[in-house]
Amino acid sequence: MSMDIGSLFEPRAIAVVGASTNPAKIGYRIVENIVRSGYAGNVFPVNPKGGEIFGLSAYTALSEIKQEIDVAVLAIPAGLVLDTVDACGEAGVKNIVVITSGFSEVGNLETEREIVRKARGYGMRVLGPNIFGIYSAAASLDATFGPGGITPGPVAIITQSGALGIAMIGKTAAESVGLSALVSVGNKADIDEADLLEYLAADEKTRAILMYIEGVKAGDRLQRTLAEVTRHKPVVVIKSGRSKRGSMAAASHTGSLAGADEVFDAVMRQCGVLRAESVQEAFTWARYLASSPASTGDQAVIVTNGGGIGVMATDACEKHAVALYDNQEVLANTFSGVMPDFGSSKNPVDLTGQATAEDYERSLDAVLEQEDMDAAIALYCETALFDTSQFADILRKVYKRYRERKPIVFSLFGGEKIEAVIQDLRREGVPVFGDVYEAVSALGALYGVHRRMLEPAEPPEEIDLPIENIRKVLDGARADGRTFLLAPEASQVAGYLGLEMPKSILARSMEEAVQAAEEIGYPVVMKIVSKDIVHKSDSGGVALDLLNEEEVVDAYQAILRSCREHVPDAVIDGIEVVEMVHSGVETIVGARQDPSFGPVVMFGLGGIYVEVMKDVSFRAAPIGRATANAMIADLRSYALLLGVRGESRKDIDAIADVVVRLSHLIDRCREIADIEVNPLIAYDYGQGTRTVDMRILIKQTKEVS
Ligand code: ACO
């Protein structure tokens, strides 16, 4: 669904249905804000009683307005909304903005769906319901019931939280953040973040986008849209709810590790979105990103008058991936004659506590004029040596001189006078911060954005998978009333996927077991095969490292005895005799249908790394080889695959191949709920991997992908 929503942001005429003469009502406030914000189009208040609202005559019905209406804002009780949607449709309205609460957020999904169904029937788009409205600088239009007084500027905000969104209006004013748009999405019955992002990406006034998200709907489209938008514009997201959800938590490792927040975090990074920890951080980043020039490189220079604060900034640079310029010879040449003799030209450049305002100016000029020094981090601890207002003037001057050319951040630390300077400069748009970490994090965010923009998009990878054959296996299990695949079925799928499984033969008697073991070669593993026994080890259905005929015979009897004791009614198909896989690094590859983002893929190291450390990484599927490699490199324990302490490098390419294949399978076979290769043993470079076990859970009902 991507009907143009341009007319929502740039309407020529707007109606407010439920406009009230009572200033205490939402319908009054919206009309007041529209008029006060300087909207130049036509405004039509609608109220059955007529009357005059904020200087405008009310129409008694939409049908009375004999002109085109681009947007109708509905501020009427929930019970009246459906009929009003019809009235809007008949009046030729293009977009409806439903302020009213009382729909899916309180369990009334039916009516909400009906609103959208009806609206679409008339070719209308729906924003909301359950929202505080929309502000659009493009039309100088504040159609919200917020406090008013929004300053136009380069940041667009999309918010799912109404209360927080309204509070942001005041906050943006206090923080001197100008807005190009502020959109409340509420229940997202029709228009969602992806629709809005598409518009805002093309909107010239918008230079950075800030999103507050509580829950994701249609996450695969959101993900694709974000991945595209961040190639041109920075997107910062704040997401609440870091707690676990994971609807199929117990079903597999992938399920239990794929908490909603872990997946959200991973997908946002994959899409090049910056995730802020707090509203404050999001504001800091968005404001800086919207006003800074593109970075030409990532070599920054710290200029300070205090050693301690310089070290703090160095730590912050490491944390926020800001590289520090390191050519000592050039640094020494650049600062000779600029700074006092007893200062230090090493980066951080220490002008010492004796530095004057002029020393700062000369040093910052020296940094910013030097071609391969890409950004300046200017730090100042208050001293009695110079006048703060003179210092503020110098910062203004330096910023003005370079603001189109190179990124700069200032961090000032001191008493009341310094605080006042910070406030003044901030109001003027100078990137000045009270805290060193905040300043460096803003620069780090800028570098992150530009790394993303320079990163080549990975071309889609064509993977040849025999999907029809795989579906036949899945259909067979479903016909049998199962939501999981038996070991031989899973092995069959693994074969279709091109995964290397250990050799395996199904034995239905002790003689067959011995014969199979001889054929495969010792040592072997034996496993029970029964649809009634899911937890094979717990039921004593697995025996490892069997070295000869005698051990195979003993194991055969022991497995049957134990399984019959644990699950007396189990129908046993036989015992699988499997090649014993020699040891390597145990890894785990999983994929599943995430409730928010659809198909996702996971990789981790096995054993304690996954159980205790939860050292895993996720991506939205499908992925190509470069993404799979990045995903493997994301692990904290990556060094173990690269080879440590004399160990050789493992076959990372072969692991990546399995990750890519699983990601394509989960994307193309949406009836697979969860698939896990555990363990996938990785051998030395060039020697590939071995899939020891693969589990597949399927959905009960078949979905067409
Ligand atoms: N067409 C036009 N106007 C109508 C119609 C109609 N068919 N029927 C009634 N009206 C008028 C009413 O007469 C009234 O005007 P009046 O004051 O002149 O009598 C006006 O519409 C509003 O109707 P009320 O019954 O007075 O409803 P009220 O204003 O109390 O509430 C509202 C309407 C605000 C939409 C309410 O139902 C609601 O949903 N409130 C919550 C809104 C909300 O919080 N949204 C989420 C925002 S985000 C956040 O959480 C902050």
Side-chain angles (χ1 to χ4, degrees):
M1 183 81 198
S2 80
M3 269 155 53
D4 181 29
I5 55 166
S7 55
L8 177 67
F9 286 88
E10 293 160 69
R12 280 161 305 170
I14 183 163
V16 181
V17 184
S20 171
T21 50
N22 178 351
K25 290 202 179 175
I26 285 180
Y28 175 91
R29 296 294 307 209
I30 293 175
V31 176
E32 180 185 6
N33 275 342
I34 295 174
V35 175
R36 281 192 194 276
S37 57
Y39 174 63
N42 291 324
V43 187
F44 306 116
V46 181
N47 185 303
K49 292 182 243 160
E52 199 181 278
I53 300 158
F54 213 73
L56 298 168
S57 298
Y59 289 74
T60 52
L62 276 161
S63 54
E64 298 294 309
I65 308 168
K66 307 287 181 208
Q67 296 181 52
E68 273 199 11
I69 305 168
D70 290 319
V71 173
V73 181
L74 311 194
I76 44 172
L80 302 177
V81 170
L82 267 182
D83 284 347
T84 308
V85 172
D86 277 324
C88 288
E90 280 150 22
V93 168
K94 295 197 180 94
N95 306 277
I96 51 177
V97 172
V98 187
I99 302 288
T100 315
S101 303
F103 299 99
S104 66
E105 83 282 7
V106 291
N108 185 6
L109 186 61
E110 260 326 73
T111 317
E112 188 168 299
R113 286 202 176 129
E114 187 58 13
I115 292 172
V116 177
R117 200 191 59 75
K118 272 185 186 248
R120 291 219 175 135
Y122 291 107
M124 295 189 290
R125 299 295 311 256
V126 180
L127 183 66
N130 189 29
I131 59 173
F132 64 80
I134 177 169
Y135 164 79
S136 167
S140 193
L141 170 69
D142 178 359
T144 74
F145 61 88
I150 302 175
T151 316
V155 176
I157 299 179
I158 301 171
T159 173
Q160 199 175 348
S161 161
L164 196 65
I166 290 182
M168 279 186 191
I169 296 177
K171 182 82 178 152
T172 50
E175 295 271 324
S176 314
V177 178
L179 298 183
S180 60
L182 171 62
V183 190
S184 169
V185 287
N187 299 358
K188 303 189 256 191
D190 173 26
I191 294 175
D192 62 9
E193 288 94 348
D195 295 303
L196 298 167
L197 282 164
E198 277 170 10
Y199 171 83
L200 294 169
D203 173 41
E204 279 178 14
K205 286 188 162 48
T206 301
R207 293 195 57 194
I209 301 167
L210 191 160
M211 296 200 294
Y212 173 86
I213 295 185
E214 280 169 358
V216 175
K217 278 183 180 176
D220 37 1
R221 180 168 167 240
L222 176 64
Q223 183 255 116
R224 283 195 304 276
T225 312
L226 281 170
E228 185 54 40
V229 173
T230 53
R231 298 213 168 270
H232 318 284
K233 269 184 198 177
V235 179
V236 176
V237 68
I238 320 162
K239 166 144 186 327
S240 56
R242 283 188 176 265
S243 56
K244 307 265 180 238
R245 176 158 42 114
S247 57
M248 286 178 278
S252 69
H253 278 99
T254 321
S256 62
L257 292 162
D261 199 64
E262 283 76 6
V263 174
F264 182 86
D265 213 55
V267 174
M268 288 303 115
R269 268 189 292 128
Q270 182 180 0
C271 297
V273 172
L274 299 168
R275 182 172 183 185
E277 288 287 330
S278 63
V279 176
Q280 183 60 50
E281 188 171 56
F283 271 36
T284 301
W285 289 352
R287 185 180 43 207
Y288 188 65
L289 295 170
S291 59
S292 268
S295 53
T296 44
D298 63 356
Q299 303 283 303
V301 177
I302 300 170
V303 176
T304 179
N305 67 342
I309 199 170
V311 174
M312 272 167 69
T314 310
D315 291 348
C317 285
E318 196 171 301
K319 179 170 180 216
H320 295 286
V322 172
L324 290 177
Y325 186 84
D326 205 25
N327 187 328
Q328 298 304 323
E329 211 180 307
V330 178
L331 280 164
N333 287 339
T334 306
F335 292 101
S336 72
V338 173
M339 56 180 241
D341 291 344
F342 42 88
S344 164
S345 69
K346 295 204 173 83
N347 194 2
V349 175
D350 191 350
L351 304 180
T352 79
Q354 210 174 307
T356 62
E358 290 76 17
D359 289 334
Y360 267 95
E361 185 174 10
R362 275 197 301 273
S363 306
L364 290 172
D365 275 338
V367 170
L368 295 161
E369 291 296 341
Q370 179 67 247
E371 203 180 328
D372 50 354
M373 296 182 186
D374 304 306
I377 302 168
L379 313 176
Y380 169 68
C381 283
E382 190 175 19
T383 66
L385 291 187
F386 56 80
D387 175 42
T388 35
S389 67
Q390 186 201 355
F391 185 53
D393 284 343
I394 285 194
L395 297 192
R396 266 187 203 101
K397 234 166 43 183
V398 170
Y399 179 64
K400 215 165 160 189
R401 214 174 286 151
Y402 298 101
R403 70 176 170 200
E404 305 290 337
R405 290 160 52 193
K406 285 193 181 175
I408 314 174
V409 287
F410 301 104
S411 175
L412 315 184
F413 187 71
E416 263 175 40
K417 281 186 187 163
I418 289 293
E419 284 302 319
V421 165
I422 292 177
Q423 291 311 326
D424 285 350
L425 291 174
R426 221 177 243 187
R427 260 192 295 278
E428 295 163 34
V430 181
V432 55
F433 306 84
D435 181 68
V436 176
Y437 271 84
E438 209 186 347
V440 175
S441 93
L443 190 60
L446 184 75
Y447 282 173
V449 162
H450 291 288
R451 272 195 293 273
R452 164 71 182 174
M453 290 177 183
L454 294 176
E455 172 188 287
E458 193 177 14
E461 199 158 321
E462 289 298 322
I463 298 284
D464 194 18
L465 293 178
I467 293 294
E468 283 319 307
N469 293 344
I470 293 173
R471 285 222 162 95
K472 271 189 202 138
V473 181
L474 306 180
D475 288 346
R478 200 178 293 110
D480 204 18
R482 278 180 281 122
T483 53
F484 62 92
L485 262 57
L486 292 173
E489 293 166 335
S491 302
Q492 224 181 328
V493 174
Y496 288 136
L497 275 174
L499 308 189
E500 277 196 66
M501 296 282 286
K503 279 178 252 159
S504 145
I505 298 172
L506 180 68
R508 294 180 199 276
S509 67
M510 198 188 304
E511 292 70 34
E512 277 184 22
V514 172
Q515 206 182 335
E518 308 266 306
E519 206 175 311
I520 289 166
Y522 292 103
V524 292
V525 173
M526 288 169 70
K527 294 184 205 168
I528 193 79
V529 179
S530 166
K531 68 174 178 183
D532 303 314
I533 304 173
V534 182
H535 302 290
K536 293 181 221 134
S537 299
D538 296 350
S539 309
V542 181
L544 304 172
D545 207 8
L546 307 169
L547 298 174
N548 51 43
E549 179 178 346
E550 200 185 338
E551 289 190 6
V552 167
V553 169
D554 287 349
Y556 189 90
Q557 290 164 335
I559 287 174
L560 285 186
R561 200 171 42 245
S562 177
C563 287
R564 288 207 174 108
E565 255 171 51
H566 276 86
V567 193
D569 300 329
V571 176
I572 293 171
D573 297 323
I575 292 183
E576 196 186 4
V577 182
V578 191
E579 171 194 348
M580 175 94 187
V581 174
H582 66 272
S583 61
V585 173
E586 280 193 20
T587 69
I588 166 171
V589 185
R592 73 194 297 258
Q593 306 298 344
D594 179 77
S596 298
F597 287 101
V600 294
V601 62
M602 181 200 83
F603 173 71
L605 250 56
I608 57 156
Y609 296 99
V610 67
E611 300 287 348
V612 183
M613 323 264 296
K614 303 203 181 317
D615 188 12
V616 291
S617 59
F618 293 92
R619 292 292 186 277
I623 58 171
R625 191 163 279 276
T627 306
N629 281 324
M631 194 176 163
I632 296 167
D634 267 0
L635 293 194
R636 279 173 275 143
S637 44
Y638 180 51
L640 294 180
L641 293 171
L642 291 177
V644 278
R645 292 176 171 249
E647 287 274 330
S648 46
R649 181 189 157 96
K650 303 298 162 218
D651 202 333
I652 294 170
D653 287 351
I655 300 175
D657 192 53
V658 175
V659 176
V660 169
R661 283 171 177 275
L662 241 63
S663 82
H664 282 258
L665 178 64
I666 199 76
D667 176 50
R668 289 170 64 188
C669 256
R670 302 281 172 118
E671 60 261 54
I672 296 180
D674 196 305
I675 176 166
E676 191 167 285
V677 177
N678 182 21
L680 174 81
I681 309 277
Y683 296 119
D684 288 355
Y685 195 72
Q687 290 174 24
T689 59
R690 210 39 88 88
T691 297
V692 178
D693 200 8
M694 181 158 101
R695 298 204 321 163
I696 301 181
L697 302 177
I698 51 176
K699 293 184 185 165
Q700 266 148 349
T701 49
K702 187 170 177 175
E703 276 174 37
V704 181
S705 65

